[in-house]
């Protein structure tokens, strides 16, 4: 009798696990994210002249809006825990009016991104810097409630590949000049980071959901190979639609 009860207990566990596994689903989602991007500068060699450069740039830079579009795969690995990964394209940048310091303090010089063109750095100037990335995020999401409206938290890591970088310069009344500034000597093409966020999903019907979250993204790897370490970080709102299959 004891052996029969033991066998019944094992069968109950096996079929219980099998039933739980059958309830675990996969989802795919399409999302867009936008918000504010800002550049974090750090002194990589602790030299005073480098710190002066950072201080000047911090005074003359402002945040800029960014966008990120992605297609993600979601796998339900436990009852309320999902693994999420996919591919994203992003445009992240910042703005500055500090052309004089970029020229090393020379009032008249060849702008390094436009050789042969003499620039008056005392004229009003605005510079837009844009970096385009291909991103591979890997994250875990915990859904707090299993209901039609479900709040959740999400955290993970990113691997980014820098596709290109541009500067868009307007000096005085001159037209904008947009040029690529990407080169292997000055930029790290592969960058690592992490992100976290919190939001909620709303189940429309079946496995079709709408979701949104406030998302924070930070780089660990410096974008540039220089004494001034540069990291492009973002804070924004992600909106998307998700469907099971």
């Amino acid at each position: 009798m004891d052996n029969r009860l033991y066998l019944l207990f094992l069968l109950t566990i096996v079929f219980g696990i099998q039933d739980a596994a059958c309830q675990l689903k996969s989802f795919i989602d399409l999302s867009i994210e936008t918000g504010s991007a800002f550049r974090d500068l750090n002194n990589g060699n602790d030299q005073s002249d480098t710190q002066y450069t950072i201080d000047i740039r911090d005074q003359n830079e402002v945040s800029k809006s960014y966008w990120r579009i992605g297609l993600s795969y979601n796998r339900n690995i436990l009852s309320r825990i999902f693994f999420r990964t996919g591919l994203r394209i992003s445009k992240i940048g910042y703005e500055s009016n500090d052309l004089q310091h970029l020229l090393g303090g020379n009032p008249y010089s060849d702008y390094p991104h436009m050789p042969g063109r003499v620039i008056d750095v005392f004229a009003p100037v605005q510079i837009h810097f844009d970096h385009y990335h291909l991103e591979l995020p890997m994250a875990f999401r915990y859904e707090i409630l299993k209901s039609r409206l479900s709040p959740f938290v999400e955290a993970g890591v990113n691997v980014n590949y820098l596709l290109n970088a541009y500067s868009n310069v307007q000096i005085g009344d001159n037209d904008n000049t947009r040029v690529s500034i990407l080169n292997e000597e000055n930029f790290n093409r592969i960058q690592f980071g992490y992100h976290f966020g919190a939001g909620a999903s709303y189940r429309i019907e079946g496995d079709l959901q709408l979701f949104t979250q406030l998302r924070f993204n930070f780089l660990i790897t410096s974008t540039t190979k220089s004494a001034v370490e540069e990291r492009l970080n973002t804070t924004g709102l992600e909106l998307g639609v998700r469907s099971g299959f």
Side-chain angles (χ1 to χ4, degrees):
M1 185 66 177
D2 291 341
N3 290 335
R4 293 178 181 179
L5 289 176
Y6 182 68
L7 179 60
L8 180 62
F9 176 71
L10 289 180
L11 290 175
T12 302
I13 293 179
V14 170
F15 285 110
I17 294 176
Q18 183 181 17
D19 181 64
C22 291
Q23 295 179 11
L24 301 182
K25 295 182 179 180
S26 296
F27 296 80
I28 192 166
D29 67 57
L30 178 65
S31 65
I32 183 169
E33 178 184 336
T34 187
S36 180
F38 57 95
R39 184 169 73 155
D40 179 39
L41 300 174
N42 290 286
N43 192 343
N45 56 15
D46 296 324
Q47 295 182 5
S48 58
D49 57 340
T50 303
Q51 187 59 48
Y52 173 74
T53 300
I54 293 175
D55 293 340
I56 292 296
R57 292 183 179 179
D58 282 340
Q59 294 173 12
N60 290 278
E61 291 182 6
V62 295
S63 61
K64 183 180 179 182
S65 62
Y66 76 94
W67 56 259
R68 179 180 282 118
I69 299 175
L71 183 67
S72 301
Y73 170 76
N74 301 254
R75 174 61 180 173
N76 191 191
I77 58 176
L78 290 174
S79 177
R80 297 185 181 182
I81 299 178
F82 292 79
F83 174 71
R84 186 186 185 199
T85 187
L87 288 176
R88 299 184 178 187
I89 297 288
S90 66
K91 176 188 175 183
I92 304 171
Y94 58 96
E95 297 180 1
S96 175
N97 60 5
D98 181 29
L99 183 61
Q100 180 172 353
H101 194 74
L102 291 177
L103 296 174
N106 298 323
Y108 295 90
S109 177
D110 283 344
Y111 181 55
H113 304 151
M114 294 180 290
R117 179 176 176 182
V118 178
I119 300 302
D120 178 3
V121 298
F122 295 110
V125 60
Q126 190 173 36
I127 316 170
H128 304 268
F129 293 91
D130 295 314
H131 292 199
Y132 292 82
H133 296 90
L134 179 64
E135 303 179 354
L136 174 64
M138 293 169 283
F140 290 96
R141 181 177 72 257
Y142 176 72
E143 296 190 349
I144 299 173
L145 298 176
K146 296 291 287 185
S147 60
R148 180 176 291 271
L149 180 62
S150 177
F152 64 83
V153 292
E154 184 175 288
V157 296
N158 315 322
V159 181
N160 300 346
Y161 180 77
L162 182 60
L163 298 172
N164 214 332
Y166 294 92
S167 67
N168 190 349
V169 183
Q170 182 172 2
I171 302 171
D173 297 327
N174 295 328
D175 294 334
N176 290 352
T177 302
R178 189 171 190 262
V179 293
S180 175
I181 57 176
L182 179 65
N183 60 70
E184 299 292 343
E185 295 180 357
N186 297 335
F187 287 90
N188 290 312
R189 299 294 294 269
I190 298 179
Q191 303 159 15
F192 299 92
Y194 63 95
H195 68 270
F196 57 90
S201 63
Y202 179 77
R203 179 166 51 84
I204 301 173
E205 64 174 318
D207 292 328
L208 183 62
Q209 305 173 7
L210 296 177
F211 68 92
T212 182
Q213 70 167 319
L214 181 62
R215 194 170 181 270
F216 303 88
N217 194 92
F218 298 92
L219 280 183
I220 299 173
T221 308
S222 175
T223 304
T224 57
K225 301 176 182 178
S226 65
V228 179
E229 296 180 349
E230 170 186 313
R231 295 170 179 86
L232 295 178
N233 304 321
T234 62
T235 299
L237 187 67
E238 181 184 16
L239 300 170
V241 58
R242 179 178 293 134
S243 179
F245 63 93

